[in-house]
Amino acid sequence: DSADLYQQATERASRIQAQSNLANIVASSVDLRETFDAFAEEVRWLIPFEQAAMLMIDQETGIIERYASYPLNEVHSAGPMLLEGSVVQQILDAGEPVALRRSTDGGAAEDWSVFGSEVSELAAVAIRESSESTAVFALLHAGRADYDAMDLRALDEVSGLLSVTIDRQRLYERAEYVARHDHLTGLANYRYLQEHLTKLQASA
C-alpha cells in the first residue's frame, strides 16, 4: 500500500544520501583514522551496528591488528595477533561480505578475541588492494543483528569506497615522504629540516 511505498522510498533516499556522503568523505580524506570515524557514522544510516572495527592484515607475517574502532573502545587497543585460527581467516576466505555468529558457522571453534569477548555476531568484508586482502571492515553486535542480503550488499559497496580511501592515504603518505627525503639516500632533506626547526621553535 501507499504507506509501505512511502517507507521504501524514504529508506532508499536515506541510503542514497549516505552513499553520497561516503563518497565525499573519500574525496577529502587525509588521515585514515579520522576518515574511519566519519565513515562509520555514515554507515549507521545504511547498516545498523553497535561497534565498527577496521583490522589491518599482513599476509606475509600472518599478523592482524585492530587499527581503528568506532565508537573508540580502549579495551581493544591490544597489539598484533595471529591470523591463523582467527575468525578473520574465515572472512578472508569468503571472498565476499559475510555475516557470522559465534555460536554457529563454526565460529565457536575460532578465535574472536580481536573483536572482543562480548561480540556474538558480526558482518564483515575484506578490503582488497590489487589481488591481496590488506584490511577487514567489520560491524559488531553483542546480541542478535540478523544481517540480511541487502545489508551485505551495502557492506560490499562500503568496502569499495574504503579500498579507495586506503589507496589514497598510502599515496598521500608516499608523496609526503618523497617531499621530505632524498630520493637516492633516503635521508631527510632540507625541507624536512626546516619544518622540524619550525616545530621546535613553535614549541619552545
Side-chain angles (χ1 to χ4, degrees):
D1 59 7
S2 58
D4 286 339
L5 288 173
Y6 177 78
Q7 183 178 358
Q8 290 172 15
T10 302
E11 289 175 357
R12 181 172 175 75
S14 296
R15 285 176 174 270
I16 291 170
Q17 183 61 55
Q19 288 166 342
S20 173
N21 292 343
L22 288 170
N24 290 334
I25 291 167
V26 171
S28 61
S29 69
V30 175
D31 180 88
L32 188 54
R33 280 191 170 88
E34 289 179 7
T35 300
F36 177 80
D37 287 348
F39 234 82
E41 286 181 19
E42 288 300 328
V43 170
R44 277 192 188 278
W45 292 96
L46 295 171
I47 321 163
F49 64 85
E50 292 174 2
Q51 188 175 63
M54 187 160 76
L55 313 178
M56 289 302 186
I57 301 165
D58 188 330
Q59 297 267 22
E60 203 170 293
T61 60
I63 296 294
I64 52 177
E65 188 167 6
R66 187 144 171 173
Y67 178 80
S69 297
Y70 179 88
L72 182 63
N73 188 339
E74 297 298 336
V75 173
H76 301 305
S77 57
M81 302 179 70
L82 289 175
L83 176 60
E84 186 178 357
S86 168
V87 69
V88 176
Q89 186 66 65
Q90 190 173 344
I91 297 166
L92 298 183
D93 291 343
E96 60 184 1
V98 291
L100 301 171
R101 290 197 184 106
R102 190 191 290 258
S103 59
T104 59
D105 306 314
E110 295 170 327
D111 184 5
W112 284 57
S113 57
V114 71
F115 294 119
S117 59
E118 73 283 0
V119 173
S120 61
E121 186 170 353
L122 62 80
V125 63
I127 310 298
R128 300 182 69 83
E129 291 181 67
S130 300
S131 60
E132 189 174 80
S133 297
T134 56
V136 163
F137 179 61
L139 306 178
L140 313 174
H141 269 273
R144 287 285 292 256
D146 293 322
Y147 290 111
D148 59 21
M150 184 179 292
D151 293 328
L152 296 182
R153 279 198 302 273
L155 192 57
D156 198 28
E157 293 170 4
V158 168
S159 75
L161 291 171
L162 264 178
S163 178
V164 172
T165 303
I166 293 171
D167 282 345
R168 287 187 76 256
Q169 182 63 27
R170 291 196 170 152
L171 284 171
Y172 177 80
E173 288 171 355
R174 178 63 184 160
E176 287 277 289
Y177 180 86
V178 168
R180 291 172 173 81
H181 294 79
D182 180 75
H183 178 66
L184 293 176
T185 65
L187 297 174
N189 61 17
Y190 182 72
R191 177 178 174 179
Y192 179 92
L193 176 64
Q194 288 295 101
E195 290 178 354
H196 189 61
L197 289 174
T198 301
K199 289 178 183 176
L200 289 176
Q201 187 177 19
S203 62

